Amino acid sequence: MIPTRSRIYLLAAFLIALSPIGVSAEMGLISEIMYHPPAGKPEYVELANNTATPLDIANWQLTGGISFEFPDFATASATATFLKPFERIVVAPSQPADVRAAYGIPAAVRVFGPWSRNLDDNGDRVTLQDKN
């Protein structure tokens, strides 16, 4: 017979082993890709921070069918390379003002660009890579 104290420890170890481990991923993600826009409008990729934590996106890259690198961190504009909690931003192949005008994007939404290359309407891969 197993002593009472040992049974409690075994039960606790058993329950810990069976309990789900909560994993929360803090990440930026691609939330939308406009790969085949209406005539006269530019393509775009929307990125989102799905967490309550600011993300440092300095030198992150969009690669694959497009090529874009976010600017390096600069002390003069320290917040420019941070994706705020739950913020969405747009990256496009055109100048930010042109993209904003084409889609009526509010001034509160940051727009980055231009990127190089074009997305293939028949399919393409777009990858968001952090600087690590």
Side-chain angles (χ1 to χ4, degrees):
M1 174 129 207
I2 300 175
T4 303
R5 178 175 272 183
S6 295
R7 280 188 283 170
I8 292 172
Y9 289 135
L10 284 173
L11 178 61
F14 180 73
L15 291 175
I16 289 170
L18 290 180
S19 66
I21 297 172
V23 176
S24 73
E26 295 185 322
M27 67 179 108
L29 54 91
I30 297 173
S31 55
E32 184 176 353
I33 299 175
M34 174 57 76
Y35 65 92
H36 188 71
K41 294 190 177 190
E43 301 171 331
Y44 67 82
V45 173
E46 182 186 71
L47 304 178
N49 176 356
N50 67 345
T51 72
T53 304
L55 298 175
D56 178 7
I57 59 171
N59 302 116
W60 283 26
Q61 296 180 23
L62 286 168
T63 60
I66 60 176
S67 178
F68 180 78
E69 183 173 339
F70 287 92
D72 197 6
F73 176 81
T75 55
S77 56
T79 60
T81 58
F82 280 86
L83 193 54
K84 298 171 195 141
F86 305 107
E87 181 181 22
R88 293 178 181 275
I89 60 174
V90 173
V91 184
S94 306
Q95 293 298 323
D98 297 338
V99 178
R100 193 176 299 284
Y103 290 103
I105 298 171
V109 176
R110 294 188 292 162
V111 179
F112 292 83
W115 72 43
S116 59
R117 294 189 277 216
N118 290 314
L119 292 169
D120 185 343
D121 291 344
N122 295 316
D124 228 330
R125 178 178 299 268
V126 177
T127 304
L128 177 61
Q129 297 176 320
D130 69 16
K131 61 187 158 205
N132 298 320

